[in-house]
Amino acid sequence: SSPFQSLIELFVNRLDSVESVLPYEYDAFDFCQDTEEKRPSENLGQVLFGERIASSPYKFTFNKKETCKKVCTRSYDPENSVDKNKLAFLKKGMQLNYQHHWIIDNMPVTWCYDVEDGQKYCNPGFPIGCFVTPDGRVKDACVINSEFNKKNTFYLFNHVDITIMYHSGKDENWPGARLVMARLRPQSYKHTDENNLSCNGPPMEIPGEFNSKLNLIYTYSVTFEEKNSIKWASRWDYILESMPHTNIQWFSLLVFRLVNFLVSICGITFISLTLSIFADDTVDFIQEDAQEEFGWKLVHGDVFRPPRKGMLLSVFLGQGTQIFIMTFITLFLACLGFLSPANRGALMTCAVVLWVLLGTPAGYVSARMYKTFRGEKWKTNVLLTALLCPGIVFADFFIMNLILWVKGSSAAIPFGTLVAILAMWFGISVPLTFVGAYFGFKEKPIEHPVRTNQIPRQIPEQSFFTKPLPGIIMGGILPFGCIFIQLFFILNSIWSHQMYYMFGFLFLVFIILLITCSEATVLLCYFHLCAEDYHWWWRSFLTSSFTAVYLFIYAVHYFFSKLQITGTASTILYFGYTLIMVLIFFLFTG
């Protein structure tokens, strides 16, 4: 037997839509199905993201051209209620512009078409069909053909022209060929005679009112092209080429530089101020002048007074540390190219596994801080660190999953996976948190350089800007300014099904976000210590974590301005998942 495979199989992924957050499996619609359906094994990330890959009846032989080959026929009888439901579901899919996602040799099969300015746009999916409304509005993909013009009619793309391009090895002295690109054009043809198919003629119309028998014949044509200019290693590039937006990236870097310039000015001022004060101090000390102290020196006896709600703060700090290290490692690996889009589900799998394994630093930081705050209830502290925020995320996730399950969506996570996640949480993460907490409580508490007075000082009347709330609200603006352009692309990749591949940029943004959060917090903290307000613990956490509130506001704006999501379930899902992101981001920035 030769080592080369001449059979090329086409796999189908779940269908999704920009107008609905609910993805559906290929089998949920009444398309042609494979006789023996094979499902490649999926990793945790794919399952969590609702990817469901299955084999399809579209099978080709390498370099064998086919024209207008029949795949299957589907018949619908208006008398039959099952047929009626199936067709209604198919129409709903066309109305909401659900998109197929097909895969050949782990490559997305793309549909490329011309957009304005003579640019080509390649979409890694293509629609089931399209719809012309009863008032004659041509929706979505119906614009590609002037024949799609009948009012209150659905046009089904029941034929695809597939072009598979390969890199031949005969010039480079290696045998065989490698597939480097797969493209398709969706077409709509009304096939009248099943035994004598010709792929031309009028489009396949499905009337809005279903009252007569209907036959849908699915067909395909496939051609092969030799394309030696594309190397196998860079075969994903053509998908990225059609992604606009790299120029905005450089603009965003410019914004960063501006932010950092501002903050470094603040830093220089701050350092020179401190140095001058210490210099004065030394002189005073030499002259032994009993001069009146001022500003932040007055609160030295109160500055390390433990905060109110110290338990909660220490728990937040522990879990923030866990999320911070997880994000750092994940982005670093993504930067090195381990988690590319070709490696499906790798990003999510990596993040979840890292989060589970990083229970120890969470427990350690939380316990150490709690001990520093002179807390007594260490058992409560450990349990809260292990269970509080993961519990909130899991509960939210579970409710979202119930909605998906009721709606019959493919994104609903199977019961087995839920049990596996719970097992990872309670079997690995929680014990590791306990280990971390054990070491944290064994350590000495953090030593303070000054003694804390018995009697708390009176805090003088504060000006508007040194009051807690205005300071916190202002503090979140700078870090948010850093990320909001990247945020647009990240939200696009989650909700508008575009590929996200700019991990190098993202890592840079991550580092700049880190610096900006820290510098903004230090600066504001200094200002209110100068105003003799020594309650800095919670403020230092909330100043930068208020960025999460801006993130939420931005997500709401994105929902209303960019997405055309319809339906209550989809809206609940959007905000449910957004809240999980906001909570994680809150802990991380804090």
Side-chain angles (χ1 to χ4, degrees), residues 265-280 526:
I265 289 179
C266 300
I268 293 165
T269 324
F270 179 47
I271 291 166
S272 59
L273 226 151
T274 318
L275 287 175
S276 69
I277 291 169
F278 280 123
D280 292 354
Y526 172 71

Side-chain angles (χ1 to χ4, degrees), residues 243-372:
M243 298 275 169
H245 326 308
T246 343
N247 42 6
I248 305 182
Q249 296 300 330
W250 294 109
F251 166 71
S252 66
L253 273 185
L254 205 76
V255 174
F256 296 152
R257 292 306 324 141
L258 206 67
V259 167
N260 268 21
F261 179 62
L262 285 171
V263 177
S264 48
I265 289 179
C266 300
I268 293 165
T269 324
F270 179 47
I271 291 166
S272 59
L273 226 151
T274 318
L275 287 175
S276 69
I277 291 169
F278 280 123
D280 292 354
D281 235 28
T282 328
V283 175
D284 288 355
F285 184 67
I286 292 165
Q287 294 173 348
E288 293 202 345
D289 186 0
Q291 187 195 355
E292 178 108 358
E293 290 186 333
F294 67 92
W296 56 269
K297 288 158 115 189
L298 288 173
V299 293
H300 70 79
D302 293 275
V303 75
F304 292 113
R305 194 174 295 289
R308 290 180 286 238
K309 303 259 190 304
M311 168 79 84
L312 197 60
L313 182 60
S314 57
V315 169
F316 280 176
L317 286 172
Q319 297 198 306
T321 311
Q322 185 175 10
I323 289 164
F324 165 66
I325 302 172
M326 171 195 90
T327 317
F328 183 82
I329 299 175
T330 306
L331 285 181
F332 185 68
L333 291 176
C335 238
L336 299 178
F338 289 120
L339 311 174
S340 77
N343 198 347
R344 296 170 188 278
L347 190 75
M348 190 69 174
T349 310
C350 174
V352 171
V353 169
L354 277 170
W355 181 84
V356 166
L357 295 177
L358 287 167
T360 310
Y364 178 82
V365 170
S366 178
R368 188 92 197 270
M369 287 311 293
Y370 188 60
K371 196 171 178 183
T372 306

Side-chain angles (χ1 to χ4, degrees), residues 357-394:
L357 295 177
L358 287 167
T360 310
Y364 178 82
V365 170
S366 178
R368 188 92 197 270
M369 287 311 293
Y370 188 60
K371 196 171 178 183
T372 306
F373 295 156
R374 304 203 279 275
E376 302 292 324
K377 303 183 188 149
W378 61 271
K379 285 178 191 156
T380 319
N381 174 267
V382 183
L383 284 172
L384 279 178
T385 308
L387 306 177
L388 178 69
C389 298
I392 296 171
V393 170
F394 188 80

Side-chain angles (χ1 to χ4, degrees), residues 115-129:
V115 287
E116 63 269 12
D117 322 332
Q119 299 244 317
K120 239 186 170 43
Y121 178 73
C122 290
N123 185 358
F126 69 96
I128 300 178

Side-chain angles (χ1 to χ4, degrees), residues 100-289:
H100 281 285
H101 294 278
W102 287 5
I103 301 160
I104 290 179
D105 191 30
N106 196 28
M107 300 260 308
V109 183
T110 53
W111 171 37
C112 295
Y113 48 89
D114 295 318
V115 287
E116 63 269 12
D117 322 332
Q119 299 244 317
K120 239 186 170 43
Y121 178 73
C122 290
N123 185 358
F126 69 96
I128 300 178
C130 63
F131 175 52
V132 179
T133 59
D135 55 5
R137 241 176 354 105
V138 178
K139 277 190 71 183
D140 304 317
C142 279
V143 297
I144 63 173
N145 191 336
S146 54
E147 288 182 6
F148 300 163
N149 51 24
K150 255 192 206 166
K151 291 181 179 175
N152 196 18
T153 303
F154 294 90
Y155 291 94
L156 176 78
F157 292 133
N158 58 335
H159 173 86
V160 282
D161 290 325
I162 301 173
T163 309
I164 297 175
M165 299 178 192
Y166 61 91
H167 183 115
S168 169
K170 64 175 188 291
D171 302 341
E172 297 164 31
N173 298 324
W174 48 269
R178 288 171 169 168
L179 306 187
V180 288
M181 193 188 294
R183 293 211 161 147
L184 62 70
R185 283 196 73 82
Q187 307 280 11
S188 181
Y189 298 123
K190 191 177 174 77
H191 302 297
T192 39
D193 182 5
E194 221 176 302
N195 306 317
N196 184 11
L197 296 168
S198 68
C199 288
N200 49 34
M204 181 69 231
E205 298 169 1
I206 302 176
E209 303 296 320
F210 175 41
N211 40 31
S212 60
K213 279 195 175 175
L214 185 71
N215 279 347
L216 302 179
I217 302 172
Y218 290 91
T219 54
Y220 72 88
S221 301
V222 63
T223 52
F224 289 85
E225 263 179 49
E226 191 172 317
K227 193 146 190 164
N228 292 340
S229 57
I230 301 177
K231 294 264 189 297
W232 189 79
S234 54
R235 61 184 194 154
W236 277 75
D237 294 1
Y238 74 96
I239 297 168
L240 310 184
E241 277 164 21
S242 66
M243 298 275 169
H245 326 308
T246 343
N247 42 6
I248 305 182
Q249 296 300 330
W250 294 109
F251 166 71
S252 66
L253 273 185
L254 205 76
V255 174
F256 296 152
R257 292 306 324 141
L258 206 67
V259 167
N260 268 21
F261 179 62
L262 285 171
V263 177
S264 48
I265 289 179
C266 300
I268 293 165
T269 324
F270 179 47
I271 291 166
S272 59
L273 226 151
T274 318
L275 287 175
S276 69
I277 291 169
F278 280 123
D280 292 354
D281 235 28
T282 328
V283 175
D284 288 355
F285 184 67
I286 292 165
Q287 294 173 348
E288 293 202 345
D289 186 0

Side-chain angles (χ1 to χ4, degrees), residues 360 363-365 367-368 371 432-444:
T360 310
Y364 178 82
V365 170
R368 188 92 197 270
K371 196 171 178 183
L432 283 175
T433 311
F434 283 14
V435 170
Y438 170 74
F439 285 112
F441 280 120
K442 266 186 76 170
E443 293 265 338
K444 285 196 181 81

